[in-house]
PDB file of all heavy atoms in Angstrom:
ATOM      1  N   GLY A 178      53.986   3.115 -17.292  1.00  0.00           N
ATOM      2  CA  GLY A 178      53.689   2.609 -16.008  1.00  0.00           C
ATOM      3  C   GLY A 178      54.613   2.854 -14.963  1.00  0.00           C
ATOM      4  O   GLY A 178      54.686   2.124 -13.909  1.00  0.00           O
ATOM      5  N   ASN A 179      55.499   3.795 -15.009  1.00  0.00           N
ATOM      6  CA  ASN A 179      56.523   4.201 -14.041  1.00  0.00           C
ATOM      7  C   ASN A 179      55.848   4.652 -12.679  1.00  0.00           C
ATOM      8  O   ASN A 179      55.242   5.671 -12.565  1.00  0.00           O
ATOM      9  CB  ASN A 179      57.361   5.304 -14.587  1.00  0.00           C
ATOM     10  CG  ASN A 179      58.625   5.533 -13.700  1.00  0.00           C
ATOM     11  OD1 ASN A 179      58.402   5.715 -12.499  1.00  0.00           O
ATOM     12  ND2 ASN A 179      59.828   5.486 -14.344  1.00  0.00           N
ATOM     13  N   ALA A 180      56.081   3.695 -11.813  1.00  0.00           N
ATOM     14  CA  ALA A 180      55.314   3.982 -10.427  1.00  0.00           C
ATOM     15  C   ALA A 180      55.903   5.192  -9.824  1.00  0.00           C
ATOM     16  O   ALA A 180      55.169   5.863  -9.123  1.00  0.00           O
ATOM     17  CB  ALA A 180      55.517   2.821  -9.514  1.00  0.00           C
ATOM     18  N   ASP A 181      57.257   5.557  -9.980  1.00  0.00           N
ATOM     19  CA  ASP A 181      57.839   6.728  -9.390  1.00  0.00           C
ATOM     20  C   ASP A 181      57.189   8.083  -9.960  1.00  0.00           C
ATOM     21  O   ASP A 181      56.934   8.954  -9.152  1.00  0.00           O
ATOM     22  CB  ASP A 181      59.399   6.725  -9.511  1.00  0.00           C
ATOM     23  CG  ASP A 181      60.142   5.732  -8.797  1.00  0.00           C
ATOM     24  OD1 ASP A 181      59.610   5.141  -7.776  1.00  0.00           O
ATOM     25  OD2 ASP A 181      61.112   5.251  -9.196  1.00  0.00           O
ATOM     26  N   LEU A 182      56.899   8.044 -11.189  1.00  0.00           N
ATOM     27  CA  LEU A 182      56.350   9.149 -11.809  1.00  0.00           C
ATOM     28  C   LEU A 182      54.924   9.275 -11.282  1.00  0.00           C
ATOM     29  O   LEU A 182      54.546  10.424 -11.008  1.00  0.00           O
ATOM     30  CB  LEU A 182      56.329   9.003 -13.361  1.00  0.00           C
ATOM     31  CG  LEU A 182      55.761  10.201 -14.094  1.00  0.00           C
ATOM     32  CD1 LEU A 182      56.420  11.516 -13.710  1.00  0.00           C
ATOM     33  CD2 LEU A 182      55.716   9.961 -15.663  1.00  0.00           C
ATOM     34  N   ILE A 183      54.186   8.266 -11.323  1.00  0.00           N
ATOM     35  CA  ILE A 183      52.769   8.302 -10.758  1.00  0.00           C
ATOM     36  C   ILE A 183      52.815   8.730  -9.332  1.00  0.00           C
ATOM     37  O   ILE A 183      51.902   9.593  -8.999  1.00  0.00           O
ATOM     38  CB  ILE A 183      52.167   7.029 -10.974  1.00  0.00           C
ATOM     39  CG1 ILE A 183      51.884   6.699 -12.442  1.00  0.00           C
ATOM     40  CG2 ILE A 183      50.699   6.838 -10.254  1.00  0.00           C
ATOM     41  CD1 ILE A 183      51.389   5.344 -12.735  1.00  0.00           C
ATOM     42  N   ASN A 184      53.709   8.320  -8.561  1.00  0.00           N
ATOM     43  CA  ASN A 184      53.855   8.743  -7.092  1.00  0.00           C
ATOM     44  C   ASN A 184      54.078  10.240  -7.084  1.00  0.00           C
ATOM     45  O   ASN A 184      53.532  10.924  -6.184  1.00  0.00           O
ATOM     46  CB  ASN A 184      54.892   7.964  -6.405  1.00  0.00           C
ATOM     47  CG  ASN A 184      54.914   8.312  -4.857  1.00  0.00           C
ATOM     48  OD1 ASN A 184      53.893   8.114  -4.189  1.00  0.00           O
ATOM     49  ND2 ASN A 184      56.068   8.711  -4.372  1.00  0.00           N
ATOM     50  N   HIS A 185      54.869  10.679  -7.920  1.00  0.00           N
ATOM     51  CA  HIS A 185      55.196  12.184  -7.905  1.00  0.00           C
ATOM     52  C   HIS A 185      53.888  13.015  -8.319  1.00  0.00           C
ATOM     53  O   HIS A 185      53.565  14.045  -7.648  1.00  0.00           O
ATOM     54  CB  HIS A 185      56.179  12.516  -9.132  1.00  0.00           C
ATOM     55  CG  HIS A 185      56.329  13.950  -9.347  1.00  0.00           C
ATOM     56  ND1 HIS A 185      56.932  14.775  -8.565  1.00  0.00           N
ATOM     57  CD2 HIS A 185      55.958  14.698 -10.488  1.00  0.00           C
ATOM     58  CE1 HIS A 185      56.825  16.053  -9.062  1.00  0.00           C
ATOM     59  NE2 HIS A 185      56.293  16.024 -10.232  1.00  0.00           N
ATOM     60  N   PHE A 186      53.032  12.511  -9.167  1.00  0.00           N
ATOM     61  CA  PHE A 186      51.736  13.145  -9.471  1.00  0.00           C
ATOM     62  C   PHE A 186      50.824  13.139  -8.244  1.00  0.00           C
ATOM     63  O   PHE A 186      50.261  14.102  -7.898  1.00  0.00           O
ATOM     64  CB  PHE A 186      51.018  12.430 -10.594  1.00  0.00           C
ATOM     65  CG  PHE A 186      51.791  12.611 -11.953  1.00  0.00           C
ATOM     66  CD1 PHE A 186      51.668  11.520 -12.876  1.00  0.00           C
ATOM     67  CD2 PHE A 186      52.469  13.621 -12.359  1.00  0.00           C
ATOM     68  CE1 PHE A 186      52.231  11.561 -14.138  1.00  0.00           C
ATOM     69  CE2 PHE A 186      53.134  13.732 -13.569  1.00  0.00           C
ATOM     70  CZ  PHE A 186      53.026  12.615 -14.491  1.00  0.00           C
ATOM     71  N   PHE A 187      50.808  11.918  -7.562  1.00  0.00           N
ATOM     72  CA  PHE A 187      49.894  11.792  -6.391  1.00  0.00           C
ATOM     73  C   PHE A 187      50.372  12.702  -5.290  1.00  0.00           C
ATOM     74  O   PHE A 187      49.540  13.294  -4.661  1.00  0.00           O
ATOM     75  CB  PHE A 187      49.848  10.365  -5.939  1.00  0.00           C
ATOM     76  CG  PHE A 187      49.130   9.471  -6.899  1.00  0.00           C
ATOM     77  CD1 PHE A 187      49.210   8.096  -6.860  1.00  0.00           C
ATOM     78  CD2 PHE A 187      48.165  10.005  -7.888  1.00  0.00           C
ATOM     79  CE1 PHE A 187      48.508   7.306  -7.701  1.00  0.00           C
ATOM     80  CE2 PHE A 187      47.518   9.098  -8.720  1.00  0.00           C
ATOM     81  CZ  PHE A 187      47.594   7.753  -8.599  1.00  0.00           C
ATOM     82  N   THR A 188      51.619  12.689  -5.005  1.00  0.00           N
ATOM     83  CA  THR A 188      52.233  13.520  -3.783  1.00  0.00           C
ATOM     84  C   THR A 188      51.929  14.963  -4.127  1.00  0.00           C
ATOM     85  O   THR A 188      51.697  15.835  -3.252  1.00  0.00           O
ATOM     86  CB  THR A 188      53.606  13.099  -3.405  1.00  0.00           C
ATOM     87  OG1 THR A 188      54.439  13.277  -4.606  1.00  0.00           O
ATOM     88  CG2 THR A 188      53.623  11.742  -2.956  1.00  0.00           C
ATOM     89  N   SER A 189      52.154  15.383  -5.404  1.00  0.00           N
ATOM     90  CA  SER A 189      51.926  16.720  -5.817  1.00  0.00           C
ATOM     91  C   SER A 189      50.514  17.223  -5.643  1.00  0.00           C
ATOM     92  O   SER A 189      50.140  18.258  -5.081  1.00  0.00           O
ATOM     93  CB  SER A 189      52.332  16.977  -7.186  1.00  0.00           C
ATOM     94  OG  SER A 189      53.673  16.839  -7.431  1.00  0.00           O
ATOM     95  N   ALA A 190      49.610  16.202  -5.854  1.00  0.00           N
ATOM     96  CA  ALA A 190      48.147  16.496  -5.636  1.00  0.00           C
ATOM     97  C   ALA A 190      47.715  16.677  -4.297  1.00  0.00           C
ATOM     98  O   ALA A 190      47.156  17.469  -3.770  1.00  0.00           O
ATOM     99  CB  ALA A 190      47.291  15.354  -6.337  1.00  0.00           C
ATOM    100  N   ASP A 191      48.304  15.784  -3.437  1.00  0.00           N
ATOM    101  CA  ASP A 191      48.086  15.834  -1.944  1.00  0.00           C
ATOM    102  C   ASP A 191      48.548  17.171  -1.381  1.00  0.00           C
ATOM    103  O   ASP A 191      47.805  17.803  -0.625  1.00  0.00           O
ATOM    104  CB  ASP A 191      48.912  14.650  -1.245  1.00  0.00           C
ATOM    105  CG  ASP A 191      48.286  13.228  -1.545  1.00  0.00           C
ATOM    106  OD1 ASP A 191      47.089  13.222  -1.940  1.00  0.00           O
ATOM    107  OD2 ASP A 191      48.987  12.271  -1.279  1.00  0.00           O
ATOM    108  N   THR A 192      49.772  17.643  -1.863  1.00  0.00           N
ATOM    109  CA  THR A 192      50.287  18.879  -1.301  1.00  0.00           C
ATOM    110  C   THR A 192      49.474  20.114  -1.737  1.00  0.00           C
ATOM    111  O   THR A 192      49.068  20.893  -0.969  1.00  0.00           O
ATOM    112  CB  THR A 192      51.643  19.037  -1.737  1.00  0.00           C
ATOM    113  OG1 THR A 192      52.584  18.095  -1.312  1.00  0.00           O
ATOM    114  CG2 THR A 192      52.159  20.460  -1.432  1.00  0.00           C
ATOM    115  N   ALA A 193      49.054  20.064  -3.030  1.00  0.00           N
ATOM    116  CA  ALA A 193      48.110  21.099  -3.617  1.00  0.00           C
ATOM    117  C   ALA A 193      46.814  21.190  -2.921  1.00  0.00           C
ATOM    118  O   ALA A 193      46.241  22.291  -2.585  1.00  0.00           O
ATOM    119  CB  ALA A 193      48.021  20.920  -5.154  1.00  0.00           C
ATOM    120  N   TRP A 194      46.292  20.045  -2.708  1.00  0.00           N
ATOM    121  CA  TRP A 194      44.861  19.906  -1.961  1.00  0.00           C
ATOM    122  C   TRP A 194      44.929  20.642  -0.598  1.00  0.00           C
ATOM    123  O   TRP A 194      44.137  21.394  -0.154  1.00  0.00           O
ATOM    124  CB  TRP A 194      44.438  18.570  -1.840  1.00  0.00           C
ATOM    125  CG  TRP A 194      43.300  18.197  -2.969  1.00  0.00           C
ATOM    126  CD1 TRP A 194      42.020  17.861  -2.630  1.00  0.00           C
ATOM    127  CD2 TRP A 194      43.409  18.208  -4.295  1.00  0.00           C
ATOM    128  NE1 TRP A 194      41.355  17.529  -3.718  1.00  0.00           N
ATOM    129  CE2 TRP A 194      42.085  17.705  -4.871  1.00  0.00           C
ATOM    130  CE3 TRP A 194      44.427  18.294  -5.241  1.00  0.00           C
ATOM    131  CZ2 TRP A 194      41.892  17.415  -6.145  1.00  0.00           C
ATOM    132  CZ3 TRP A 194      44.184  18.243  -6.597  1.00  0.00           C
ATOM    133  CH2 TRP A 194      42.892  17.797  -7.072  1.00  0.00           C
ATOM    134  N   GLN A 195      46.139  20.314   0.109  1.00  0.00           N
ATOM    135  CA  GLN A 195      46.201  20.890   1.479  1.00  0.00           C
ATOM    136  C   GLN A 195      46.477  22.338   1.342  1.00  0.00           C
ATOM    137  O   GLN A 195      45.901  23.089   2.223  1.00  0.00           O
ATOM    138  CB  GLN A 195      47.476  20.219   2.044  1.00  0.00           C
ATOM    139  CG  GLN A 195      47.188  18.700   2.495  1.00  0.00           C
ATOM    140  CD  GLN A 195      48.512  18.101   3.169  1.00  0.00           C
ATOM    141  OE1 GLN A 195      49.612  18.654   3.125  1.00  0.00           O
ATOM    142  NE2 GLN A 195      48.364  16.776   3.422  1.00  0.00           N
ATOM    143  N   GLU A 196      47.338  22.726   0.478  1.00  0.00           N
ATOM    144  CA  GLU A 196      47.645  24.177   0.289  1.00  0.00           C
ATOM    145  C   GLU A 196      46.414  24.898  -0.118  1.00  0.00           C
ATOM    146  O   GLU A 196      46.356  26.199   0.150  1.00  0.00           O
ATOM    147  CB  GLU A 196      48.754  24.451  -0.711  1.00  0.00           C
ATOM    148  CG  GLU A 196      50.075  23.892  -0.195  1.00  0.00           C
ATOM    149  CD  GLU A 196      51.233  24.060  -1.207  1.00  0.00           C
ATOM    150  OE1 GLU A 196      50.927  24.430  -2.407  1.00  0.00           O
ATOM    151  OE2 GLU A 196      52.414  23.904  -0.765  1.00  0.00           O
ATOM    152  N   SER A 197      45.495  24.394  -0.695  1.00  0.00           N
ATOM    153  CA  SER A 197      44.229  25.123  -1.071  1.00  0.00           C
ATOM    154  C   SER A 197      43.186  24.917  -0.033  1.00  0.00           C
ATOM    155  O   SER A 197      41.972  25.486  -0.183  1.00  0.00           O
ATOM    156  CB  SER A 197      43.613  24.417  -2.386  1.00  0.00           C
ATOM    157  OG  SER A 197      44.520  24.682  -3.501  1.00  0.00           O
ATOM    158  N   GLY A 198      43.581  24.370   1.079  1.00  0.00           N
ATOM    159  CA  GLY A 198      42.571  24.457   2.245  1.00  0.00           C
ATOM    160  C   GLY A 198      41.598  23.342   2.076  1.00  0.00           C
ATOM    161  O   GLY A 198      40.493  23.251   2.729  1.00  0.00           O
ATOM    162  N   ARG A 199      41.801  22.271   1.189  1.00  0.00           N
ATOM    163  CA  ARG A 199      40.694  21.240   1.050  1.00  0.00           C
ATOM    164  C   ARG A 199      40.796  20.287   2.228  1.00  0.00           C
ATOM    165  O   ARG A 199      41.877  19.797   2.718  1.00  0.00           O
ATOM    166  CB  ARG A 199      41.021  20.492  -0.282  1.00  0.00           C
ATOM    167  CG  ARG A 199      41.070  21.303  -1.538  1.00  0.00           C
ATOM    168  CD  ARG A 199      39.556  21.567  -1.958  1.00  0.00           C
ATOM    169  NE  ARG A 199      38.918  20.349  -2.264  1.00  0.00           N
ATOM    170  CZ  ARG A 199      38.845  19.889  -3.553  1.00  0.00           C
ATOM    171  NH1 ARG A 199      39.524  20.447  -4.562  1.00  0.00           N
ATOM    172  NH2 ARG A 199      38.255  18.754  -3.911  1.00  0.00           N
ATOM    173  N   GLN A 200      39.585  19.908   2.762  1.00  0.00           N
ATOM    174  CA  GLN A 200      39.547  18.970   3.827  1.00  0.00           C
ATOM    175  C   GLN A 200      39.495  17.448   3.236  1.00  0.00           C
ATOM    176  O   GLN A 200      39.935  16.538   3.927  1.00  0.00           O
ATOM    177  CB  GLN A 200      38.282  19.221   4.605  1.00  0.00           C
ATOM    178  CG  GLN A 200      38.157  20.558   5.291  1.00  0.00           C
ATOM    179  CD  GLN A 200      39.368  20.822   6.158  1.00  0.00           C
ATOM    180  OE1 GLN A 200      39.771  19.891   7.060  1.00  0.00           O
ATOM    181  NE2 GLN A 200      40.079  21.825   6.113  1.00  0.00           N
ATOM    182  N   ASP A 201      39.047  17.380   1.896  1.00  0.00           N
ATOM    183  CA  ASP A 201      38.999  16.040   1.398  1.00  0.00           C
ATOM    184  C   ASP A 201      40.350  15.768   0.681  1.00  0.00           C
ATOM    185  O   ASP A 201      41.213  16.610   0.462  1.00  0.00           O
ATOM    186  CB  ASP A 201      37.879  16.003   0.327  1.00  0.00           C
ATOM    187  CG  ASP A 201      38.001  17.071  -0.723  1.00  0.00           C
ATOM    188  OD1 ASP A 201      38.601  18.130  -0.439  1.00  0.00           O
ATOM    189  OD2 ASP A 201      37.588  16.728  -1.907  1.00  0.00           O
ATOM    190  N   LYS A 202      40.613  14.488   0.401  1.00  0.00           N
ATOM    191  CA  LYS A 202      41.768  14.058  -0.362  1.00  0.00           C
ATOM    192  C   LYS A 202      41.440  13.902  -1.703  1.00  0.00           C
ATOM    193  O   LYS A 202      40.362  13.402  -2.092  1.00  0.00           O
ATOM    194  CB  LYS A 202      42.366  12.698   0.329  1.00  0.00           C
ATOM    195  CG  LYS A 202      42.880  12.991   1.659  1.00  0.00           C
ATOM    196  CD  LYS A 202      43.666  11.697   2.111  1.00  0.00           C
ATOM    197  CE  LYS A 202      44.295  11.922   3.572  1.00  0.00           C
ATOM    198  NZ  LYS A 202      44.919  10.632   4.154  1.00  0.00           N
ATOM    199  N   PRO A 203      42.357  14.114  -2.675  1.00  0.00           N
ATOM    200  CA  PRO A 203      42.113  13.956  -4.091  1.00  0.00           C
ATOM    201  C   PRO A 203      41.937  12.427  -4.394  1.00  0.00           C
ATOM    202  O   PRO A 203      42.815  11.574  -3.894  1.00  0.00           O
ATOM    203  CB  PRO A 203      43.370  14.552  -4.802  1.00  0.00           C
ATOM    204  CG  PRO A 203      44.425  14.446  -3.807  1.00  0.00           C
ATOM    205  CD  PRO A 203      43.785  14.547  -2.483  1.00  0.00           C
ATOM    206  N   TYR A 204      40.969  12.187  -5.206  1.00  0.00           N
ATOM    207  CA  TYR A 204      40.891  10.795  -5.848  1.00  0.00           C
ATOM    208  C   TYR A 204      42.126  10.491  -6.656  1.00  0.00           C
ATOM    209  O   TYR A 204      42.352  11.211  -7.464  1.00  0.00           O
ATOM    210  CB  TYR A 204      39.523  10.685  -6.657  1.00  0.00           C
ATOM    211  CG  TYR A 204      39.135   9.243  -7.113  1.00  0.00           C
ATOM    212  CD1 TYR A 204      38.570   8.374  -6.180  1.00  0.00           C
ATOM    213  CD2 TYR A 204      39.463   8.743  -8.339  1.00  0.00           C
ATOM    214  CE1 TYR A 204      38.164   7.039  -6.587  1.00  0.00           C
ATOM    215  CE2 TYR A 204      39.057   7.536  -8.804  1.00  0.00           C
ATOM    216  CZ  TYR A 204      38.474   6.690  -7.794  1.00  0.00           C
ATOM    217  OH  TYR A 204      38.059   5.389  -8.235  1.00  0.00           O
ATOM    218  N   ARG A 205      42.682   9.277  -6.618  1.00  0.00           N
ATOM    219  CA  ARG A 205      43.932   9.049  -7.335  1.00  0.00           C
ATOM    220  C   ARG A 205      43.706   8.064  -8.380  1.00  0.00           C
ATOM    221  O   ARG A 205      43.317   6.862  -8.186  1.00  0.00           O
ATOM    222  CB  ARG A 205      44.915   8.466  -6.392  1.00  0.00           C
ATOM    223  CG  ARG A 205      45.377   9.486  -5.176  1.00  0.00           C
ATOM    224  CD  ARG A 205      46.329   8.674  -4.311  1.00  0.00           C
ATOM    225  NE  ARG A 205      47.109   9.572  -3.489  1.00  0.00           N
ATOM    226  CZ  ARG A 205      48.248   9.288  -2.864  1.00  0.00           C
ATOM    227  NH1 ARG A 205      48.708   7.954  -2.926  1.00  0.00           N
ATOM    228  NH2 ARG A 205      49.027  10.147  -2.202  1.00  0.00           N
ATOM    229  N   MET A 206      43.790   8.531  -9.517  1.00  0.00           N
ATOM    230  CA  MET A 206      43.605   7.598 -10.692  1.00  0.00           C
ATOM    231  C   MET A 206      44.866   7.724 -11.495  1.00  0.00           C
ATOM    232  O   MET A 206      45.357   8.705 -11.752  1.00  0.00           O
ATOM    233  CB  MET A 206      42.311   7.958 -11.562  1.00  0.00           C
ATOM    234  CG  MET A 206      42.138   6.861 -12.675  1.00  0.00           C
ATOM    235  SD  MET A 206      40.485   7.061 -13.457  1.00  0.00           S
ATOM    236  CE  MET A 206      40.743   8.413 -14.582  1.00  0.00           C
ATOM    237  N   ALA A 207      45.309   6.499 -11.934  1.00  0.00           N
ATOM    238  CA  ALA A 207      46.531   6.382 -12.814  1.00  0.00           C
ATOM    239  C   ALA A 207      46.276   5.652 -14.119  1.00  0.00           C
ATOM    240  O   ALA A 207      45.144   5.289 -14.388  1.00  0.00           O
ATOM    241  CB  ALA A 207      47.641   5.616 -11.991  1.00  0.00           C
ATOM    242  N   GLY A 208      47.253   5.542 -15.026  1.00  0.00           N
ATOM    243  CA  GLY A 208      47.122   4.960 -16.310  1.00  0.00           C
ATOM    244  C   GLY A 208      48.423   4.619 -16.932  1.00  0.00           C
ATOM    245  O   GLY A 208      49.347   5.349 -16.660  1.00  0.00           O
ATOM    246  N   PHE A 209      48.362   3.595 -17.730  1.00  0.00           N
ATOM    247  CA  PHE A 209      49.432   3.401 -18.643  1.00  0.00           C
ATOM    248  C   PHE A 209      49.166   2.566 -19.907  1.00  0.00           C
ATOM    249  O   PHE A 209      47.949   1.978 -19.804  1.00  0.00           O
ATOM    250  CB  PHE A 209      50.660   2.697 -17.934  1.00  0.00           C
ATOM    251  CG  PHE A 209      50.408   1.280 -17.327  1.00  0.00           C
ATOM    252  CD1 PHE A 209      50.290   0.243 -18.183  1.00  0.00           C
ATOM    253  CD2 PHE A 209      50.302   1.102 -16.069  1.00  0.00           C
ATOM    254  CE1 PHE A 209      50.199  -1.061 -17.610  1.00  0.00           C
ATOM    255  CE2 PHE A 209      50.023  -0.074 -15.449  1.00  0.00           C
ATOM    256  CZ  PHE A 209      50.007  -1.180 -16.185  1.00  0.00           C
ATOM    257  N   TRP A 210      49.960   2.652 -20.889  1.00  0.00           N
ATOM    258  CA  TRP A 210      49.807   1.898 -22.209  1.00  0.00           C
ATOM    259  C   TRP A 210      50.230   0.454 -21.973  1.00  0.00           C
ATOM    260  O   TRP A 210      51.217   0.164 -21.251  1.00  0.00           O
ATOM    261  CB  TRP A 210      50.553   2.536 -23.267  1.00  0.00           C
ATOM    262  CG  TRP A 210      50.046   3.871 -23.726  1.00  0.00           C
ATOM    263  CD1 TRP A 210      48.719   4.328 -23.720  1.00  0.00           C
ATOM    264  CD2 TRP A 210      50.850   4.861 -24.190  1.00  0.00           C
ATOM    265  NE1 TRP A 210      48.641   5.449 -24.300  1.00  0.00           N
ATOM    266  CE2 TRP A 210      49.946   5.978 -24.442  1.00  0.00           C
ATOM    267  CE3 TRP A 210      52.109   5.097 -24.365  1.00  0.00           C
ATOM    268  CZ2 TRP A 210      50.290   7.233 -25.043  1.00  0.00           C
ATOM    269  CZ3 TRP A 210      52.529   6.326 -24.871  1.00  0.00           C
ATOM    270  CH2 TRP A 210      51.632   7.342 -25.160  1.00  0.00           C
TER     271      TRP A 210
END
């Protein structure tokens, strides 16, 4: 449940979506045990 790690995943996705020319934002789903 490390929020810093989850934030890394989310910000990486935001960057990737932008670089791929996507106009929409990625749906953000997280999870932990």
Side-chain angles (χ1 to χ4, degrees):
N179 185 305
D181 290 336
L182 178 58
I183 291 172
N184 187 52
H185 170 70
F186 295 147
F187 288 165
T188 55
S189 296
D191 289 342
T192 299
W194 257 244
Q195 291 176 358
E196 291 177 350
S197 292
R199 299 281 296 268
Q200 298 301 311
D201 57 329
K202 292 185 177 181
Y204 189 84
R205 295 175 159 200
M206 189 165 79
F209 61 76
W210 290 324

